[in-house]
Amino acid sequence: MAERSAPIDSNLLSKIVFELEFTEDWLNIGLISTPILEQIAQEYLDEKHINPDPKHYRYRVFRRFMDQNRDLPELHFDGILDLTEYDADPELRETIISDLIDREECPIYILKRIANTRAGVLREKALAKLQTLQP
């Protein structure tokens, strides 16, 4: 990522946030903040000629959050799972849910919720993890 000398203009930042399809829910559950938005906006400006798909930037923000929070509270699992309900990209929704299932501290009730509301690979993955956790 190229270094920038000045903050991104607030109008440009708002435009990029809109283009990347971040919703207020991302802010409400703590996945993004102004510094994170400025960082991802700069990455988007630097890379959009190479990778213009907004889902890649949303996933990048999600992964950074997950990597920086090794012991994720249950509240975040709920919020992130709810967030996937509204994301426009089905592939991103599935990837994020799969990542939640993979987390060691993923609560049993979240796994059950996924198993009861999803089909296919996600359902099977949640059921398989539930079997390893239950006596």
Side-chain angles (χ1 to χ4, degrees):
M1 179 175 83
E3 291 294 319
R4 66 178 193 275
S5 57
I8 295 175
D9 172 82
S10 62
N11 291 329
L12 178 58
L13 183 60
S14 294
K15 181 180 183 258
I16 292 169
V17 167
F18 179 77
E19 286 178 22
L20 295 180
E21 301 173 17
F22 284 109
T23 63
E24 198 173 312
D25 293 327
W26 285 77
L27 178 65
N28 292 340
I29 58 176
L31 291 175
I32 56 174
S33 61
T34 301
I36 292 167
L37 286 175
E38 289 176 349
Q39 179 183 19
I40 205 72
Q42 187 62 53
E43 290 173 19
Y44 178 66
L45 290 172
D46 293 344
E47 302 169 9
K48 75 177 179 179
H49 64 285
I50 300 168
N51 188 4
D53 193 337
K55 74 178 175 190
H56 296 291
Y57 297 93
R58 291 194 310 279
Y59 185 65
R60 191 179 295 176
V61 167
F62 167 75
R63 281 301 331 151
R64 286 179 186 162
F65 177 84
M66 296 296 277
D67 292 344
Q68 292 171 358
N69 294 279
R70 297 312 312 158
D71 294 314
L72 203 59
E74 288 184 9
L75 180 65
H76 279 93
F77 282 94
D78 277 321
I80 293 168
L81 191 55
D82 289 344
L83 183 69
T84 65
E85 297 294 326
Y86 304 105
D87 198 277
D89 189 274
E91 183 182 336
L92 180 58
R93 285 193 305 260
E94 289 197 8
T95 301
I96 288 174
I97 293 169
S98 181
D99 286 359
L100 290 178
I101 295 169
D102 288 341
R103 287 294 286 241
E104 184 178 329
E105 73 276 22
C106 184
I108 290 175
Y109 77 92
I110 292 290
L111 295 170
K112 288 179 180 179
R113 182 174 159 194
I114 294 168
N116 291 328
T117 61
R118 301 294 172 171
V121 173
L122 290 176
R123 182 176 190 279
E124 296 302 319
K125 188 173 182 177
L127 288 171
K129 185 162 182 183
L130 279 166
Q131 284 197 330
T132 65
L133 298 174
Q134 297 176 351

